[in-house]
């Protein structure tokens, strides 16, 4: 296809906002990413004078759909899907015809700290409405011991399927 318009700046914070994932609901696109910025405007989990920060929050923003000769544009403001002092990264999102499911790995230990047995990452999720409000409390997809990372979610018309990498045994 042909690009329409200029790049769209989805995240308006001066730093942070990586690992963007997208889902389309038939009308608009939901962009989801992780950031170290909190809802009160401070950075979470930073060290080295703010040079490195831990992504701890999951945010979203809607983008209007492009039309013939009309580029898409951001719609509304960023909104918090999940805010926490624990590390999160690499979210995934899918749409089921009514709600979005946003999944992400979440470090259940203290921020930036892994014990002698390694980190403990779970896969968590939230359902969101098409207006960006939470439609569920936090859903624990897996809380198996060890590192559960790199989730991916899709919807087959009836059920969501969430996959992830189980890094419990790092010898293989």
């Amino acid at each position: 296809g042909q690009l329409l318009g200029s790049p769209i700046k989805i995240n308006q914070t001066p730093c942070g906002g990586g690992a963007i994932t997208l889902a389309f609901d038939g009308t608009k696109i939901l962009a989801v990413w992780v950031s170290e910025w909190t809802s009160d405007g401070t950075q979470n989990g930073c060290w080295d004078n703010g040079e490195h920060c831990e992504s701890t929050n999951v945010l979203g923003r809607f983008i209007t759909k492009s039309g013939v000769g009309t580029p898409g544009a951001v719609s509304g403001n960023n909104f918090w899907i999940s805010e926490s002092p624990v590390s999160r990264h690499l979210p995934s999102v899918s749409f089921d015809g009514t709600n979005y499911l946003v999944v992400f790995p979440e470090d259940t230990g203290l921020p930036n700290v892994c014990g002698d047995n390694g980190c403990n990452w779970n896969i968590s999720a939230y359902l969101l409405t098409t207006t960006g409000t939470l439609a569920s409390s936090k859903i624990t997809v897996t809380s198996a011991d060890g590192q559960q990372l790199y989730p991916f979610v899709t919807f087959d018309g009836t059920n969501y399927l969430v996959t992830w990498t189980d890094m419990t045994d790092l010898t293989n």
Side-chain angles (χ1 to χ4, degrees):
Q2 182 178 353
L3 294 177
L4 297 174
S6 301
I8 300 170
K9 186 173 182 177
I10 298 168
N11 179 19
Q12 302 301 320
T13 58
C15 177
I20 293 175
T21 184
L22 306 169
F24 182 60
D25 68 10
T27 304
K28 59 189 172 300
I29 299 162
L30 173 61
V32 174
W33 67 94
V34 293
S35 176
E36 75 272 9
W37 288 95
T38 64
S39 59
D40 67 5
T42 59
Q43 285 181 299
N44 231 358
C46 296
W47 62 98
D48 289 340
N49 295 318
E51 291 294 317
H52 300 86
C53 296
E54 199 65 34
S55 295
T56 59
N57 303 308
V58 182
L59 287 88
R61 189 167 196 182
F62 288 107
I63 305 167
T64 60
K65 182 176 100 169
S66 300
V68 176
T70 306
V74 293
S75 175
N77 295 315
N78 297 351
F79 55 89
W80 270 255
I81 296 167
S82 181
E83 187 171 19
S84 172
V86 300
S87 299
R88 278 95 178 263
H89 68 92
L90 301 173
S92 181
V93 61
S94 189
F95 185 70
D96 67 10
T98 303
N99 292 306
Y100 297 94
L101 183 65
V102 177
V103 298
F104 51 90
E106 176 175 59
D107 186 355
T108 60
L110 296 173
N112 307 321
V113 176
C114 294
D116 293 338
N117 297 321
C119 297
N120 191 38
W121 289 81
N122 293 340
I123 304 297
S124 299
Y126 285 95
L127 284 170
L128 289 177
T129 68
T130 56
T131 62
T133 57
L134 293 178
S136 74
S137 56
K138 184 168 78 170
I139 301 163
T140 300
V141 177
T142 180
S143 60
D145 287 339
Q147 299 183 62
Q148 317 308 312
L149 297 167
Y150 314 113
F152 182 79
V153 61
T154 191
F155 186 74
D156 70 1
T158 304
N159 298 296
Y160 281 109
L161 173 66
V162 179
T163 62
W164 62 89
T165 302
D166 181 345
M167 298 178 69
T168 301
D169 182 2
L170 297 178
T171 61
N172 58 18

